[in-house]
Amino acid sequence: MANTTPQTSSTTGTGPGEQFDAIIIGAGLTGLYQLYKLRQLGLSVRVYEAGSGVGGTWYWNRYPGARFDSESYSYGYSFSEELLQEWDWKEHFSGQPENERYLNYVADKFDLRRDIQFNARVASALYDERANRWQLQTEDGHRAQAQFLITAVGVLSAPQMPNVAGLDTYTGEWCHTGLWPKTPLNLAGKRVGVIGTGASGVQLITEIAKEVGHLTVFQRTPNYCAPLHNKPIDEETQKKIKASYPEIFKKCRETFAGMIHHFDPRSVFEVSAEEREAFYEQIWSEPGFRKWLGNFRDVMSSKEANDTFAEFVRNKIRARVKDPAVANKLVPTNHPFGSKRVPLESGYYEVYNQDNVVLVDLKETPITRITPKGLKTSTTEYEFDVLIFATGFDAVTGAFNRINIRGVGGQGLKDKWADGPRTYLGIQSVGFPNLFTLVGPHNGATFCNIPRCSEQNVEWVTDCIRYMREHNHGRIEAKLDAEGAWTAHVADTIADSLLLQADSWFMGANTPGKKRTFLMYAGGTPAYRAKCDEVAAKGYEGFALQ
Ligand code: NAP
């Protein structure tokens, strides 16, 4: 087994720095579990984490209203029965403070912190071909080396600001939902502007509308938001959940997106109009993503089928917003239902019935600049005490692009992926040996209830490293033909899907200048898992091992 004690030389300046078997970037849900597993394997491991605490998404996105859209009990780690039994989720869809507490609890329980360096944002990762080692440097100049580099940088972790002039002139408070300050902003009674109405904006707006003095929401594209139906978990239900974790996780392994929801095997058109309406009412009244991932099987593949549910949702929106002109602005028409991530809400549409809330349609009146006191649209000037950007993320590849990652021959990963990612299993890319991209582009874990699929990723990588050690292999790199075939297969998984029809972050279309291409994997969780298992069973077919 490996020496688990890191060898230290100079950690700053020009020396190679501390030596590890593996370096993990990110101490979110995925990075924490990878650390736990590699430690079990006897590797020396260091995690570099940009934040001052663990949690990743649940560390950074501490905006008011942030909470799971997955059932809490389907979201926690499944690897420790003891952890499952001792942790009580308080709500069916748990809020950010509890989620962050949970991940801290896990870090403490498994004594993970001693191998995590916090406040350490990785600036570069360079592959040294001769030594077959990755050389890392953090933004503050700390250096370290490892044989394996494992990224756990998250899917939505590179916050994105709109490209509008004048932010540097703005004198009020402002922040992005994905970089929410630890000391909460005081919004009570204030004039607040929010730009963006995706899943983050919808949660935030609903929550802060309860306390702000005046709220102006700037919406570019309306979404199909659906009721979350959250509630506390009572004692009886808690017991039932704890007794049924094996079935819950089994179900998650069998569903398309690693959730507890299965698509209905029927077509929209196999049932009568009355039955369809009754089914829609039924799924609408149920919690979570049932309306999306438990809908008729063809809702996500046939526009005609999709239209029936899209119209159902539009009518639900119209019924909740008193002013028909405002309702009209909130009704989505330019993309199919579910072709963008469906925001789940708890009273969102009713916010627009409040006297102190104004909705501005940016398609009618675009923002022209940020001003010292607020912002200007093509027709109006607005003044705010606080301006909030709920404008999303440079998704999936954004966090990779913000690190200077260079592989064989000094090739940049950002350059290689400029026309869209090229990967094998979403876990490796040719020219970047010993680099594993957990929950990376083209990976089955991206289009999934992430913890369920990131556990699979982590376990697969751990098994792969174990295999390499047992067979005396020091280097693993995807083969070109395997990468080409996987990249083509990823495109095939979306060929018949309505996902192609929206300008979403799934397609990279929310980031100006980014190549429009599908960044995830839409073949479903079971198919992805089966392929990864098959590759491993065949001695890591498609990878060159040396
Ligand atoms: P998002 O879905 O990308 O939404 C960003 C919003 O900002 C959109 O309304 C977008 O309008 C708008 N926007 C972006 N740039 C703009 C500009 N220059 N001018 C005006 N408006 C602009 O981002 P998000 O809401 O942060 O959500 C991202 C993802 O995070 C979600 O899809 C979800 O997967 C995840 N999330 C999960 C949870 C949860 O599980 N509970 C909660 C929040 C977020 P357009 O639509 O026109 O581009």
Side-chain angles (χ1 to χ4, degrees):
M1 270 298 152
N3 173 15
T4 55
T5 316
Q7 288 143 30
T8 312
S9 67
S10 161
T11 59
T12 53
T14 54
E18 284 179 278
Q19 303 291 318
F20 301 97
D21 294 321
I23 288 177
I24 300 166
I25 308 179
L29 188 114
T30 306
L32 290 178
Y33 185 42
Q34 186 67 80
L35 168 60
Y36 172 80
K37 291 297 284 182
L38 290 185
R39 247 196 212 168
Q40 280 188 332
L41 211 56
L43 267 64
S44 64
V45 188
R46 166 64 55 83
V47 181
Y48 288 100
E49 166 54 53
S52 63
V54 300
T57 288
W58 300 107
Y59 170 91
W60 296 104
N61 289 267
R62 52 184 73 242
Y63 59 85
R67 67 174 57 252
F68 288 155
D69 278 348
S70 305
E71 287 71 10
S72 308
Y73 46 86
S74 79
Y75 195 96
Y77 291 110
S78 71
F79 69 85
S80 162
E81 181 58 22
E82 196 176 282
L83 173 65
L84 286 166
Q85 294 307 320
E86 66 194 17
W87 182 263
D88 287 349
W89 291 107
K90 307 270 184 313
E91 295 174 274
H92 282 264
F93 299 90
S94 170
Q96 180 276 333
E98 190 185 356
N99 309 343
E100 192 187 11
R101 259 196 307 280
Y102 171 72
L103 291 165
N104 274 279
Y105 181 82
V106 171
D108 291 334
K109 180 175 173 67
F110 299 102
D111 186 23
L112 299 178
R113 283 178 215 281
R114 65 184 156 89
D115 288 325
I116 306 173
Q117 187 162 329
F118 293 103
N119 303 305
R121 186 175 287 281
V122 175
S124 63
L126 314 177
Y127 178 65
D128 177 344
E129 262 178 278
R130 278 200 306 178
N132 185 32
R133 290 181 81 73
W134 282 91
Q135 171 78 58
L136 251 83
Q137 183 155 339
T138 61
E139 281 184 354
D140 62 5
H142 180 92
R143 295 163 71 90
Q145 272 193 354
Q147 180 186 4
F148 297 104
L149 174 61
I150 304 174
T151 57
V153 292
V155 175
L156 297 152
S157 50
Q160 187 165 265
M161 296 289 287
N163 191 11
V164 185
L167 183 59
D168 52 336
T169 66
Y170 178 66
T171 54
E173 283 187 284
W174 68 270
C175 68
H176 188 287
T177 48
L179 290 171
W180 202 263
K182 270 188 160 177
T183 312
L185 289 178
N186 176 11
L187 301 175
K190 300 221 171 128
R191 298 167 305 168
V192 178
V194 177
I195 303 173
T197 54
S200 305
V202 165
Q203 288 184 334
L204 169 100
I205 289 161
T206 310
E207 194 58 31
I208 67 173
K210 296 170 187 164
E211 61 162 345
V212 298
H214 192 274
L215 178 63
T216 311
V217 176
F218 297 91
Q219 170 194 270
R220 194 163 64 180
T221 311
N223 265 311
Y224 297 91
C225 308
L228 175 66
H229 297 307
N230 185 29
K231 59 179 184 187
I233 294 178
D234 60 46
E235 223 172 291
E236 200 51 34
T237 312
Q238 190 77 259
K239 279 190 202 143
K240 276 191 197 149
I241 290 170
K242 288 191 179 179
S244 49
Y245 272 124
E247 292 92 84
I248 292 169
F249 295 134
K250 179 172 180 293
K251 193 169 198 184
C252 292
R253 275 197 299 278
E254 291 166 353
T255 61
F256 176 83
M259 309 222 25
I260 60 166
H261 309 287
H262 258 305
F263 283 109
D264 191 291
R266 295 171 300 169
S267 158
V268 165
F269 302 110
E270 268 172 52
V271 298
S272 68
E274 293 73 31
E275 266 180 278
R276 190 182 308 141
E277 194 66 14
F279 177 73
Y280 286 164
E281 287 292 353
Q282 171 65 32
I283 58 177
W284 196 250
S285 69
E286 290 184 23
F289 279 134
R290 177 74 205 279
K291 311 88 177 155
W292 189 21
L293 304 170
N295 212 316
F296 290 115
R297 68 169 151 80
D298 48 352
V299 156
M300 287 308 296
S301 55
S302 150
K303 178 69 168 55
E304 213 187 342
N306 190 284
D307 281 344
T308 64
F309 192 65
E311 195 49 27
F312 174 89
V313 180
R314 291 186 196 112
N315 286 333
K316 289 289 182 196
I317 298 170
R318 290 185 189 110
R320 288 169 63 183
V321 181
K322 286 186 186 147
D323 181 338
V326 176
N328 229 15
K329 288 181 185 170
L330 288 164
V331 164
T333 51
N334 77 341
H335 61 283
F337 168 82
S339 58
K340 287 181 151 198
R341 206 314 201 129
V342 176
L344 295 180
E345 52 82 32
S346 310
Y348 174 63
Y349 290 110
E350 284 71 16
V351 164
Y352 298 98
N353 296 333
Q354 289 181 208
D355 291 339
N356 62 340
V357 177
V358 169
L359 177 68
V360 177
D361 184 342
L362 295 179
K363 289 260 161 69
E364 287 171 8
T365 57
I367 297 172
T368 53
R369 68 173 293 116
I370 310 281
T371 64
K373 290 189 171 171
L375 63 79
K376 252 188 197 167
T377 64
S378 53
T379 57
T380 313
E381 186 154 359
Y382 298 86
E383 291 189 4
F384 302 114
D385 303 309
V386 185
L387 192 48
I388 299 173
F389 295 90
T391 44
F393 302 86
D394 181 353
V396 192
T397 50
F400 289 91
N401 291 345
R402 291 179 187 195
I403 302 172
N404 180 20
I405 300 175
R406 298 202 169 264
V408 175
Q411 184 189 19
L413 188 62
K414 184 178 177 180
D415 301 330
K416 177 173 174 184
W417 287 354
D419 279 335
R422 297 190 64 77
T423 80
Y424 182 38
L425 302 178
I427 208 93
Q428 265 219 341
S429 195
V430 176
F432 299 83
N434 292 1
L435 167 61
F436 295 107
T437 55
L438 300 173
V439 202
H442 293 177
N443 187 307
T446 48
F447 207 51
C448 183
N449 186 17
I450 288 199
R452 297 284 61 78
C453 295
S454 89
E455 280 187 344
Q456 177 273 347
N457 267 209
V458 165
E459 287 160 13
W460 192 91
V461 166
T462 309
D463 288 345
C464 178
I465 292 176
R466 180 189 294 115
Y467 177 91
M468 287 176 71
R469 299 212 147 201
E470 285 169 0
H471 292 78
N472 278 326
H473 295 303
R475 186 183 193 274
I476 183 167
E477 184 182 358
K479 291 181 183 167
L480 201 55
D481 56 343
E483 177 181 276
W486 183 256
T487 303
H489 170 61
V490 167
D492 287 346
T493 66
I494 196 181
D496 296 328
S497 171
L498 296 177
L499 295 175
L500 283 169
Q501 295 190 16
D503 287 335
S504 66
W505 63 261
F506 301 161
M507 300 296 305
N510 66 324
T511 299
K514 193 164 173 172
K515 168 89 175 173
R516 191 180 203 284
T517 178
F518 187 54
L519 295 167
M520 338 262 286
Y521 172 79
T525 301
Y528 180 74
R529 186 180 289 270
K531 177 67 184 173
C532 289
D533 289 349
E534 183 194 321
V535 166
K538 291 183 177 167
Y540 296 89
E541 188 185 45
F543 291 96
L545 284 152
Q546 288 170 15

